[in-house]
Amino acid sequence: MDGFDPRTSFGYEESRRYDATDTRGDEPETVAFLARLAAGRDALEFAVGTGRIALPLIRAGVRVDGIEQSQDMVDRLREKPGGQDLQVTLGDMSSAGTGRTYGLVYLVYNTIGNVITQDGQVRCFANAARHLAEDGVFVLECRMPTSPARPGRQFVEAQHIAVGQVVLEAGRYDPVTQVLDQTHIHISADGIDLRPLSLRLAFPPEFDLMARLAGLRLRDRWGGWTGEPYTSTSWRHVSVYEHS
Ligand SMILES: C[S@@+](CC[C@H](N)C(=O)[O-])C[C@H]1O[C@@H](n2cnc3c(N)ncnc32)[C@H](O)[C@@H]1O
């Protein structure tokens, strides 16, 4: 997207809005799944954000560290109860290191897509593998791409219509780069507010190849956090990788 910089897409304004708009309602199941896999070992969250998952996971008894690119998101995390209790390394999850290994590394909420090149995503898998203990697991949760199948690979959707406000989502997918450029457009009497985001979309088999390049292999794949089978109609996947 012209003018889009993935390093600044979660800046001050987005960090202030994040917890109000980006809570998904599946946090308890996510935390139960991750706590079970951690099995008493320490965990590392790539792109820890405001601690939507890390904080309840800590409350469930897991020691969690984080890597995060946005100082603003980390500032919001630090303001929350328990937000001082985890070590966060500020940097890019495809290269930054914490200097140790973990029983669980996880990357959820489609955030692999925030790395908008294939090379970057490959490096992200390699960095996850570097942080995994010998018997550790890397958990990736991501939506299945739908934009490639849209007519003309583009769309405008009315996400919310109220008397005083309309929220539209406009998107265009480029099959060459596999990048979806999308913008949430908030229109109200206060004016027009644009919230742009670019995401690189990939289907699970491409992620499995990235895992192989990193010396990992797929151990399990689910259609959700509660052990739903992964099928041709799954809208997302929860993939668990281990050292091969
Ligand atoms: C959708 S939020 C997810 C936050 C958190 N994992 C959650 O589930 O609520 C995406 C987060 O990824 C961070 N991020 C995006 N690209 C990153 C990168 N290359 N390295 C580290 N963090 C990144 C953003 O700053 C933002 O905090």
Side-chain angles (χ1 to χ4, degrees):
M1 187 184 321
D2 285 349
F4 179 78
D5 182 347
R7 290 166 304 181
T8 54
S9 54
F10 287 84
Y12 181 78
E13 296 296 333
E14 188 53 37
S15 75
R16 285 264 159 228
R17 283 193 289 261
Y18 186 79
D19 289 313
T21 58
D22 282 75
T23 301
R24 299 165 92 192
D26 64 355
E27 289 76 15
E29 300 94 279
T30 310
V31 167
F33 182 99
L34 294 173
R36 205 164 45 245
L37 275 185
R41 300 166 303 170
D42 295 350
L44 171 66
E45 179 167 354
F46 274 9
V48 67
T50 62
R52 185 182 67 90
I53 298 302
L55 292 178
L57 190 55
I58 291 170
R59 287 196 290 275
V62 181
R63 206 210 119 163
V64 182
D65 289 344
I67 294 178
E68 171 56 53
Q69 184 165 252
S70 160
Q71 180 65 60
D72 292 301
M73 294 293 272
V74 177
D75 290 345
R76 302 292 82 72
L77 164 71
R78 297 298 192 207
E79 289 164 3
K80 295 181 181 177
Q84 301 290 338
D85 299 345
L86 64 171
Q87 283 185 17
V88 178
T89 302
L90 209 58
D92 182 344
M93 61 186 168
S94 55
S95 56
T98 65
R100 51 160 297 193
T101 59
Y102 301 82
L104 170 70
V105 178
Y106 64 97
L107 174 56
V108 298
Y109 205 173
N110 315 315
T111 304
I112 183 79
N114 287 68
V115 178
I116 58 174
T117 64
Q118 188 188 51
D119 275 352
Q121 293 183 347
V122 166
R123 282 198 301 274
C124 199
F125 269 79
N127 202 27
R130 258 196 299 279
H131 284 91
L132 275 191
E134 209 168 310
D135 59 349
V137 289
F138 173 45
V139 174
L140 177 76
E141 182 226 355
C142 197
R143 267 181 173 276
M144 302 298 290
T146 53
S147 320
R150 303 256 195 164
R153 295 184 289 270
Q154 53 177 286
F155 60 89
V156 178
E157 266 177 11
Q159 286 206 326
H160 180 70
I161 299 190
V163 173
Q165 192 194 44
V166 170
V167 181
L168 304 175
E169 186 184 0
R172 180 190 290 264
Y173 174 75
D174 179 349
V176 175
T177 57
Q178 295 182 201
V179 171
L180 169 68
D181 291 329
Q182 61 179 25
T183 296
H184 286 98
I185 307 156
H186 293 243
I187 306 168
S188 70
D190 295 335
I192 298 176
D193 180 27
L194 301 176
R195 301 180 190 173
L197 188 65
S198 290
L199 292 169
R200 182 177 186 277
L201 310 184
F203 285 95
E206 187 180 353
F207 290 135
D208 294 348
L209 283 174
M210 293 181 190
R212 274 206 214 186
L213 290 172
L216 302 175
R217 68 173 169 220
L218 185 69
R219 181 164 104 182
D220 283 312
R221 173 162 289 140
W222 308 102
W225 293 112
T226 53
E228 301 93 317
Y230 172 70
T231 69
S232 58
T233 58
S234 296
W235 64 272
R236 67 172 163 189
H237 60 102
V238 175
S239 301
V240 182
Y241 297 98
E242 63 187 2
H243 285 294
S244 51

